[in-house]
């Protein structure tokens, strides 16, 4: 029954054999045969996606395991090494032979409690392989979906390695070999840099990349789009990529401060290494591979996790109008919070985020994380009175914990801090780990201070710990300066959003601020990992004037489009309330747009150029569309065939005006309505760094 998904070939190991010819019919024609091998002969195992367009083959032909991937019959990943290196065991790579394999397949749907897509299809073929060097067995699991491949290692406890034997991983040998890398285009940010993930994306020939974070997105010379990432990063170091020679990207696990990459035990699984593969750029956006490779919800009833929209005492600090710390312009005061709660109630926002309410912000808070109290408020902030006031108005306080990277200090207070918030009805907390790269402060068992990377194994554990501890208090977490997303929201649905890229804040003080192409880059890169708390909706685009370096480099309409394009179940209206008063007509879109969806479709786009998304509200009535472009004005024609063919809709269109241009005229916009149906098309005219936002209201 598995002969379609798995073909098995066996041949005498010959060093001269051309490894690129694995797909000749004569080799593929061999039957599945016995899956057991003595290891004396080389073997090749093939696994295809359900639609058969993606074929992975695993071979020990060269005396070590290598995989390669074909898409529509063409090589997209050339033969690439597999394996792990351990301090105690040495290399499990060279010399490993295929010992046995076991195929399986699945075709099911599962439901998200919240998300960009309520029902997610999980259809894949699977192959579990045991490799051996004669002494130790290493398992590899592969899954082939129509939108890509995932694989992971599992070192099971065995006679030579009893359960819980401590193991130190010093290297991962996984490679992703890309042919014609000088002709492939990559979009990437550097890894192991001081600024975590907060960089502008670079566009270069793939061969120009040195070390990069994932999701790492690239386009081959034939137009195939791929993205390398990982899924279910738990109790492991995150994988970054190191280009060792042209086209040879090697897994580069972020190390601990002592140089070890991963500290684990016999019986461990690695995260899934993922390769999303699509004919065109939008194919990457419509993929659910990462979620499908995560485990189902482990938290049980999560009805307490609530998507929604919020405002907050936040932008004022970034603009230097207010301070986080105490003093005459302290932002987080009782009266100011009540004023924000009034605004939120009037315009039906769910929450008010307040930063700078707790003691410890005075002075150089970036470097004094040990000064933070997560339970003691400043004198001018009355937590019980504020939350009681909000409760009357139907608005919740959203909590905030900035650690400045002092995570041991935070961990000690965490339970009390969440308990305090829970007592006062707070159900969502934004956390922060500002600290220059490598400057996360860990106090080890001997009281010695160590500095760890944000994406090393230690912090992978700390971030998840905060999420599981918060869950005990029915609190959802929105992590800033996070570990990258790897789809863990499926397993822990209270990990509601995170930052993990340059957000809006860079427009207030970044040098340079976010470029016009930045938000045309994010969907195809950072957002492939999962939701982002970008904090859109700045309406005063140039508080220091249009010519100041620090301003928002978009039109007003592009700010609206961000709510649809940059998916997050929680979305902020990030500007000061007074700035919304000036454009209440445009503000209406932010009031209307939902943050929880029945389904989402990327309709059009090219990486770093433009993108168009349509999303259907969870109640399945209205649809919303968001389109945005980089610095180039453009027209994009979209068919409305995603709409229900049996309904008519009022399209409420928020678009750039004829003279709009982010640099000179960002406030020129038109709001108009049109009656449309699924048979119509619309031509969207996007200004330079402009956008369109549409609500299709079912009539
Ligand atoms: C960085 C976060 O991204 C930002 O939103 C927050 O205001 C500051 N840290 C202070 O916690
Ligand atoms: Ca940040």
């Amino acid at each position: 029954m598995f002969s379609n998904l798995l073909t098995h070939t066996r041949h005498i190991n010959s060093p001269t054999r051309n490894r690129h010819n694995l797909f000749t019919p004569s080799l593929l024609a061999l039957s599945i045969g016995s899956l057991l091998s003595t290891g004396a002969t080389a073997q090749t195992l093939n696994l295809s996606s359900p639609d058969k367009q993606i074929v992975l083959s695993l071979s020990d032909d060269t005396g070590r395991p290598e995989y390669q991937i074909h898409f529509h019959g063409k090589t997209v990943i050339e033969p690439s090494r597999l394996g792990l290196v351990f301090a105690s065991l040495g290399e499990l790579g060279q010399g490993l032979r295929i010992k046995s394999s076991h195929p399986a397949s699945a075709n099911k749907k599962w439901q998200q409690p919240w998300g960009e897509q309520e029902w997610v299809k999980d259809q894949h073929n699977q192959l579990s392989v045991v490799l051996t060097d004669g002494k130790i067995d290493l398992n590899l699991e592969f899954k082939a979906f129509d939108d890509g491949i995932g694989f992971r290692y599992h070192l099971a406890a065995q006679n030579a390695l009893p359960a819980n034997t401590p193991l130190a991983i010093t290297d991962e040998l996984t490679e992703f070999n890309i042919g014609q890398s000088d002709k492939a285009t990559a979009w990437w940010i550097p890894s192991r840099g001081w600024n975590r993930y907060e960089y502008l994306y670079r566009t270069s020939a793939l061969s120009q990349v040195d070390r990069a974070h994932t999701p790492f997105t690239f386009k081959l010379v034939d137009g195939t789009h791929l993205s390398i990432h990982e899924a279910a990063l738990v109790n492991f170091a995150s994988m970054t990529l190191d280009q060792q020679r042209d086209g040879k990207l090697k897994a580069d696990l972020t190390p601990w401060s002592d140089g070890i990459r991963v500290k684990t035990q016999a019986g461990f699984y690695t995260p899934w290494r993922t390769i999303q593969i699509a004919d065109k750029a939008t194919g990457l956006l419509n993929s659910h591979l990462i979620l499908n490779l995560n485990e189902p919800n482990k938290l049980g009833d999560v009805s307490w996790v609530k998507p929604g929209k919020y405002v907050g005492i936040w932008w004022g600090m970034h603009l230097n109008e207010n301070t986080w710390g105490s003093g005459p312009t302290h932002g987080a005061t009782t009266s100011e919070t009540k004023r924000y709660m009034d605004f939120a109630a009037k315009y039906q926002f769910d929450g008010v985020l307040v930063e700078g309410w707790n003691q410890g912000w005075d002075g150089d808070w970036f470097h004094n994380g040990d000064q933070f109290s997560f339970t003691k408020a400043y004198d001018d902030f009355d937590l019980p009175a504020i939350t009681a006031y909000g409760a009357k108005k139907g608005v919740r306080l959203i909590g905030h914990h900035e650690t400045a990277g002092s995570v041991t200090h935070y961990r000690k207070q965490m339970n009390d801090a969440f308990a305090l918030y829970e007592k006062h009805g707070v159900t969502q907390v934004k956390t922060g780990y500002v600290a220059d790269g490598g400057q996360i402060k860990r106090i080890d068992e001997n009281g010695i201070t160590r500095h760890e990377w944000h994406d090393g194994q230690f912090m992978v554990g700390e971030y998840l710990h905060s999420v599981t501890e918060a869950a005990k208090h029915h609190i959802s977490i929105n992590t800033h300066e996070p570990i990258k997303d790897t789809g863990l929201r499926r397993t822990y649905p209270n990990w509601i959003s995170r930052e993990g890229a340059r957000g809006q804040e860079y427009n207030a003080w970044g040098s340079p601020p976010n470029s016009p192409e930045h938000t045309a880059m994010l969907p195809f890169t950072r957002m492939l990992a999962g939701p982002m708390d970008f904090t859109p909706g700045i309406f005063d685009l140039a508080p220091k004037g249009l010519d100041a370096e620090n301003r928002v480099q978009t039109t007003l309409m592009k700010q609206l489009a961000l709510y649809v394009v940059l998916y997050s179940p929680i979305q902020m209206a990030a500007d000061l309330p007074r700035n919304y008063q000036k454009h209440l007509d445009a503000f209406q879109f932010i009031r209307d747009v939902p943050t929880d969806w029945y389904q989402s479709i990327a309709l059009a786009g090219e990486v770093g150029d433009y993108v168009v998304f349509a999303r259907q509200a969870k109640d399945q009535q209205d649809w919303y569309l968001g389109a945005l472009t980089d610095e180039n004005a453009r027209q994009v024609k979209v068919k409305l065939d995603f709409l229900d063919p049996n309904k008519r809709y009022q399209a409420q269109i928020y678009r750039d005006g004829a003279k709009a241009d982010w640099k000179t005229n960002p406030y020129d916009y038109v709001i108009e309505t049109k009656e449309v149906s699924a048979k119509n098309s619309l031509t969207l005219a996007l200004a330079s760094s402009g956008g369109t936002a549409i609500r299709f209201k079912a009539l």
Side-chain angles (χ1 to χ4, degrees):
M1 80 183 267
F2 292 111
S3 56
N4 283 340
L5 70 99
L6 171 74
T7 54
H8 176 260
T9 49
R10 220 178 239 228
H11 51 87
I12 303 302
N13 189 7
S14 129
T16 54
R17 208 179 64 81
N18 179 352
R19 286 182 287 140
H20 297 265
N21 283 342
L22 281 174
F23 289 83
T24 52
S26 60
L27 287 173
L28 282 181
L30 295 181
S31 75
I32 192 162
S34 155
L35 295 179
L36 283 174
S37 147
T38 59
T41 52
Q43 295 183 65
T44 298
L45 304 173
N46 293 321
L47 173 72
S48 7
S49 57
D51 68 1
K52 309 207 172 36
Q53 296 308 307
I54 299 176
V55 180
L56 173 134
S57 65
L58 173 73
S59 167
D60 58 8
D61 182 18
T62 58
R64 63 190 193 196
E66 294 184 344
Y67 75 99
Q68 62 176 324
I69 299 175
H70 284 67
F71 181 51
H72 301 317
K74 284 197 247 174
T75 310
V76 290
I77 302 284
E78 302 200 326
S80 298
R81 287 197 68 181
L82 294 161
L84 295 166
V85 184
F86 298 85
S88 54
L89 307 171
E91 180 182 318
L92 281 185
Q94 192 70 37
L96 282 181
R97 292 303 189 124
I98 296 169
K99 179 175 166 187
S100 63
S101 66
H102 174 73
S105 60
N107 187 3
K108 53 191 182 223
K109 274 188 168 188
W110 57 276
Q111 191 177 19
Q112 299 205 76
W114 51 264
E116 70 282 42
Q117 185 83 21
E118 184 170 357
W119 288 95
V120 179
K121 182 173 130 185
D122 174 2
Q123 187 183 7
H124 66 262
N125 294 327
Q126 184 175 340
L127 183 61
S128 305
V129 183
V130 183
L131 301 162
T132 190
D133 65 3
K135 290 196 264 340
I136 292 188
D137 288 354
L138 177 66
N139 299 346
L140 263 166
E141 286 175 24
F142 296 91
K143 287 189 180 183
F145 301 80
D146 290 347
D147 52 351
I149 296 282
F151 62 87
R152 66 176 177 179
Y153 302 88
H154 171 43
L155 186 60
Q158 48 198 284
N159 286 343
L161 268 182
N164 304 327
T165 309
L167 291 169
I169 298 178
T170 54
D171 200 9
E172 176 171 336
L173 302 174
T174 308
E175 292 170 359
F176 306 87
N177 281 327
I178 319 298
Q180 296 191 61
S181 61
D182 52 327
K183 298 203 185 82
T185 308
W187 297 277
W188 58 288
I189 52 171
S191 65
R192 224 61 74 65
W194 67 275
N195 208 12
R196 305 169 297 270
Y197 306 102
E198 297 173 12
Y199 294 93
L200 290 171
Y201 279 82
R202 301 171 186 188
T203 304
S204 76
L206 193 144
S207 54
Q208 299 301 308
V209 175
D210 39 44
R211 287 212 274 210
H213 276 301
T214 73
F216 174 78
T217 300
F218 58 101
K219 179 172 87 166
L220 301 180
V221 67
D222 71 355
T224 305
H225 283 69
L226 297 97
S227 189
I228 298 171
H229 188 43
E230 58 186 310
L233 170 54
V234 178
N235 198 14
F236 212 79
S238 70
M239 180 183 76
T240 67
L241 299 172
D242 180 14
Q243 184 159 213
Q244 298 199 319
R245 57 175 159 72
D246 277 9
K248 180 177 153 186
L249 301 167
K250 183 185 160 299
D252 182 18
L253 300 177
T254 302
W256 285 76
S257 50
D258 62 8
I260 300 291
R261 310 288 176 131
V262 177
K263 302 177 185 186
T264 185
Q265 301 178 331
F268 74 89
Y269 288 84
T270 67
W272 292 92
R273 278 70 188 90
T274 61
I275 306 161
Q276 282 158 284
I277 308 172
D279 288 309
K280 51 185 182 175
T282 47
L284 297 177
L285 308 184
N286 291 321
S287 155
H288 298 113
L289 182 90
I290 305 293
L291 279 175
N292 274 328
L293 288 168
N294 273 270
E295 286 178 34
N297 174 10
K298 286 190 176 161
L299 298 181
D301 174 17
V302 286
S303 52
W304 46 272
V305 179
K306 298 251 190 276
K309 281 176 287 191
Y310 69 104
V311 292
I313 297 178
W314 179 77
W315 189 233
M317 278 87 91
H318 288 271
L319 290 179
N320 269 331
E321 276 190 23
N322 296 108
T323 56
W324 277 279
S326 59
T329 54
H330 185 210
T333 65
T334 303
S335 59
E336 185 68 345
T337 308
K338 287 184 176 171
R339 195 173 73 82
Y340 269 78
M341 284 181 158
D342 294 344
F343 179 84
K346 181 168 176 193
Y347 295 111
Q348 294 95 38
F349 285 83
D350 306 284
V352 173
L353 165 72
V354 180
E355 297 194 0
W357 67 276
N358 57 319
Q359 292 181 20
W361 291 90
D362 294 309
D364 183 9
W365 61 265
F366 261 64
H367 298 103
N368 291 328
D370 294 351
Q371 307 294 310
F372 280 120
S373 164
F374 299 97
T375 50
K376 290 197 195 100
Y378 281 118
D379 287 347
D380 52 358
F381 186 85
D382 186 342
L383 179 68
I386 283 167
T387 48
Y389 184 82
K392 270 195 266 154
K393 303 210 144 209
V395 176
R396 284 185 199 277
L397 178 74
I398 296 178
H400 185 235
H401 292 158
E402 173 58 63
T403 68
S406 287
V407 293
T408 309
H409 177 74
Y410 179 42
R411 206 187 235 256
K412 284 192 203 130
Q413 296 185 52
M414 197 180 278
N415 185 42
D416 291 346
F418 287 142
L420 173 70
Y421 270 146
E422 184 183 18
K423 182 171 151 207
H424 292 290
V426 172
T427 58
Q428 200 191 108
V429 174
K430 169 175 169 179
T431 58
Y433 297 81
V434 168
D436 289 353
Q439 296 306 302
I440 286 281
K441 230 168 116 180
R442 167 172 72 97
I443 315 295
D444 76 5
E445 320 68 65
N446 305 315
I448 297 168
T449 300
R450 311 274 177 200
H451 290 112
E452 305 291 350
W453 293 105
H454 281 76
D455 58 340
Q457 183 185 12
F458 170 71
M459 281 308 292
V460 164
E462 288 299 297
Y463 288 113
L464 185 56
H465 178 74
S466 74
V467 169
T468 52
E469 286 301 297
K472 294 179 187 163
H473 299 271
H474 287 185
I475 285 174
S476 298
I477 295 292
N478 167 19
T479 316
H480 277 235
E481 297 78 50
I483 178 68
K484 67 186 177 185
D485 199 345
T486 56
L488 285 172
R489 69 188 186 277
R490 177 171 178 190
T491 316
Y492 305 99
N494 71 320
W495 204 339
I496 197 147
S497 199
R498 76 185 82 196
E499 191 191 36
R502 270 173 160 244
Q504 186 86 269
E505 60 182 3
Y506 275 79
N507 296 326
W509 43 256
S511 185
N514 296 333
S515 59
E517 79 165 8
H518 183 57
T519 50
M521 203 60 96
L522 289 176
F524 303 94
T525 53
R526 157 67 184 82
M527 308 292 301
L528 296 181
M532 175 176 177
D533 186 42
F534 180 84
T535 69
I538 296 301
F539 273 24
D540 181 358
L541 298 159
K544 296 172 195 145
L546 287 177
D547 295 329
E549 184 192 19
N550 282 116
R551 50 156 299 191
V552 180
Q553 300 191 351
T554 73
T555 66
L556 192 75
M557 292 299 104
K558 187 168 172 180
Q559 289 295 310
L560 298 186
L562 294 175
Y563 287 88
V564 183
V565 168
L566 300 181
Y567 168 66
S568 173
I570 52 165
Q571 290 281 22
M572 187 178 199
D575 210 340
L576 309 171
R578 66 167 190 261
N579 293 328
Y580 292 125
Q581 303 295 345
K582 289 182 231 158
H583 302 283
L584 282 175
D585 55 352
F587 187 54
Q588 186 62 42
F589 183 81
I590 302 180
R591 296 180 59 194
D592 291 338
V593 68
T595 61
D596 198 13
W597 306 98
Y598 180 68
Q599 58 174 320
S600 294
I601 311 168
L603 297 174
E606 291 294 344
V607 186
D609 296 342
Y610 73 102
V611 69
V612 186
F613 271 100
R615 303 191 195 270
Q616 187 178 22
K618 187 88 166 236
D619 67 9
Q620 299 181 44
Q621 286 296 307
D622 297 353
W623 280 82
Y624 287 77
L625 179 147
L628 58 80
T629 179
D630 61 3
E631 67 282 6
N632 299 309
R634 71 183 81 225
Q635 297 211 339
V636 186
K637 192 171 174 191
V638 291
K639 285 196 198 142
L640 304 185
D641 54 5
F642 53 85
L643 296 173
D644 182 336
N646 302 316
K647 281 190 178 140
R648 293 196 66 77
Y649 296 82
Q650 182 192 52
Q652 302 170 353
I653 303 171
Y654 300 72
R655 62 172 177 85
D656 294 320
K659 299 203 178 79
D661 177 299
W662 77 267
K663 249 191 211 150
T664 54
N665 204 4
Y667 303 108
D668 180 27
Y669 62 83
V670 176
I671 300 174
E672 62 191 3
T673 59
K674 258 186 200 165
E675 208 178 301
V676 298
S677 76
K679 289 197 200 88
N680 298 124
S681 296
L682 286 178
T683 299
L684 314 174
L686 311 173
S688 165
S689 198
T692 300
I694 305 177
R695 175 188 185 185
F696 295 96
K697 191 174 184 303
L699 294 173

